[in-house]
């Protein structure tokens, strides 16, 4: 079976020669860097759960290429059951890591590139799909983590790519050669890039004819010459440098985003999947975004499960859990969280095949899913802060708790219910802080807003897919209005 163990995965990352800057310094060993390592642990979990028989049905799939058992993160969805299982797998991983586990971006990119290259070849007579399938075969055989890369920096939003003062603000072709292409530019907010083996690049917006040089899709090794990474800051990230395990809130897991820079990167033709076919750029953006909007109906729900559990415990530890308003707020949090899950499942169950055979989610429902994700985690977080109380952000540090003299004082005055150790209360409050305000808030809050496209992007898709004309006809029929 082409499956890596978690240990083999970690070792495979150690062999990479990544060029990473973090807080102004080159990182020689990203795998063991205290700020980066928790994010590696989250991706490692996608390998670990795949080894466990109880999760086999969700974590593994059968390759449509050669029938072998593969990690679902490298799979192309062959039916709507695959789409449903994808969402369930993401919820499971959100529950196990309470953070972004990063591997979905590549899965979503591969599913989108598959169907778009197939349709592009059929219309234009190109051979991108065959190249892509060779790449996918390598990914499945080696059980790689792939990082999907879509978002360009974009510079002045009022100008198209070719009108920017600095042309590098969108990834573009610098040179076409007999053996491949040379590209420059950058991708922003790149989730999990340093924990990946390969990058799958897509265009960031629908391109017009004048921007054909920006209609690009290709794959590249993460450590190719001509790529480097600048690590994104997260709130409270340097708490990971302090030692201890309480103040970080989640000492084991996390996510990361980087600015990924292509400086005259060479890509051989075999890894190029779109090169100037601007009329297909919008379709690729739409499909990738659709899959990733579905994804949020799984991953954010799993993190939400942990947050709701943490809040329930915090109320028990403080003795407030029996108050009726507390119970009601927890019910509201569950209701909101399950509504997101309902949308994730619904857009999956309503999936249908594309021309290549790969299944696509229902785009309207996937966009409704993500639109809700731009709101509900914020309300869940608001309720979490309400129930957790102010102590979550005012309590002393772990070092104070461990101090030979004032430790006793911290222990005494932070006590809630007599039977619960103060340390447990601090741990659960720090976990809530981590998800709502700390490093994990990148994934749970701001990413809920902007990840897979900002709210307005979904509203545009909802207006396109909403079929208002048909709804008007329905109303006319009921109201007995004849004619147009
Ligand atoms: Fe996966 Fe969610 Fe992270 Fe996107 S935000 S990579 S869907 S865990
Ligand atoms: Fe995301």
């Amino acid at each position: 079976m082409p499956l890596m163990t978690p240990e083999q995965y970690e070792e495979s990352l150690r062999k990479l020669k990544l060029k990473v800057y973090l807080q102004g310094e080159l990182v020689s060993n990203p795998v063991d860097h205290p700020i980066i390592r928790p994010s590696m642990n989250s991706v490692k979990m996608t390998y670990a759960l795949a080894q466990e028989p109880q999760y086999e049905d969700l974590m593994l799939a059968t390759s449509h290429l050669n029938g072998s058992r593969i990690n679902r993160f490298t799979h192309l969805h062959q039916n709507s059951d695959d789409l449903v299982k994808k969402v369930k797998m993401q919820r499971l991983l959100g529950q196990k890591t309470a953070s972004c586990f990063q591997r979905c971006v590549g899965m979503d990119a591969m599913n989108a590139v598959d169907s778009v290259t197939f349709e592009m070849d059929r219309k234009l007579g190109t051979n991108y799909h065959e190249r892509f399938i060779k790449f996918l075969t390598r990914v499945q055989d080696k059980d790689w983590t792939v990082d999907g890369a879509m978002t360009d920096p974009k510079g002045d939003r009022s100008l198209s790519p070719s009108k920017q003062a600095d042309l590098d603000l969108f990834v573009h072709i610098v040179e076409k050669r007999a053996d491949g292409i040379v590209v420059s530019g950058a991708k922003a907010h790149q989730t999990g890039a340093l924990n990946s083996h390969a990058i799958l690049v897509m265009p960031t917006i629908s391109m017009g004819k004048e921007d054909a040089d920006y209609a690009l899709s290709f794959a590249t090794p993460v450590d190719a010459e001509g790529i480097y990474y600048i690590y994104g800051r997260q709130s409270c990230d340097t708490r990971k440098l302090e030692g201890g395990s309480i103040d970080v809130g989640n000492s084991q897991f996390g996510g990361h985003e980087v600015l990924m820079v292509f400086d005259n990167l060479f890509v051989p033709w075999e890894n190029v999947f779109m090169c100037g076919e601007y009329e297909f750029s919008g379709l690729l953006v739409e499909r990738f975004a659709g899959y990733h909007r579905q994804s949020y109906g799984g991953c954010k729900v799993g993190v939400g499960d942990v947050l709701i559990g943490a809040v329930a415990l915090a109320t028990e530890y403080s003795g407030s859990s029996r108050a009726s308003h507390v119970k009601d707020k927890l019910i509201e949090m569950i209701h909101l969280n399950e509504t997101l899950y309902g949308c994730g499942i619904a857009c999956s169950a309503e999936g249908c095949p594309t021309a290549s055979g790969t299944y696509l989610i229902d785009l309207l429902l996937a966009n409704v899913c993500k639109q809700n994700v731009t709101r509900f985690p914020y309300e869940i977080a608001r309720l979490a802060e309400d129930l957790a109380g102010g102590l979550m952000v005012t309590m002393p540090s772990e070092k104070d708790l461990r101090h030979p003299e004032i430790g006793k004082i911290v222990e005494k005055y932070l006590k809630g219910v007599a039977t619960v150790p103060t340390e447990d209360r601090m741990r659960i409050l720090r976990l809530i802080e981590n998800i709502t305000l700390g490093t994990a808030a990148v994934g749970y809050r701001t990413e809920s807003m902007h990840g897979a496209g900002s709210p307005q992007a979904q509203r545009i898709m909802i207006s396109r897919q909403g079929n208002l004309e048909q709804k008007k006809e329905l109303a006319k029929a009921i109201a007995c209005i004849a004619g147009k």
Side-chain angles (χ1 to χ4, degrees), residues 9 39-40 42-43 99-107 145-151 187-200 222 229-232 234 254-260 288 292 296 299-300 442-443 447 450-452:
Y9 164 66
S39 74
M40 193 280 294
S42 295
V43 183
S99 63
C100 168
F101 38 90
Q102 308 144 57
R103 207 175 168 184
C104 330
V105 202
M107 167 177 55
T145 289
V146 175
D147 189 30
M150 176 160 278
T151 311
K187 292 288 185 183
H189 329 296
Q190 276 313 122
T191 296
L194 310 181
N195 299 322
S196 303
H197 303 93
I199 300 157
L200 179 51
V222 275
Y229 306 88
I230 308 172
Y231 202 81
Q234 299 176 331
H256 77 234
E257 274 76 25
V258 298
L259 178 66
M260 179 192 289
F288 168 75
H292 211 55
Y296 284 18
C299 78
K300 306 296 179 222
V442 176
E447 196 185 28
H450 296 293

Side-chain angles (χ1 to χ4, degrees), residues 12 16 40 59 72 98 102 141 155 207 221 223 245 285 293 299 303 316 438 447 452 464:
S12 71
L16 299 173
M40 193 280 294
M59 296 302 305
R72 187 172 297 282
Q102 308 144 57
D141 284 350
M207 303 289 175
D223 56 352
S245 65
V285 173
R293 288 168 195 175
C299 78
V303 178
E316 284 173 23
E447 196 185 28
R464 253 194 246 154

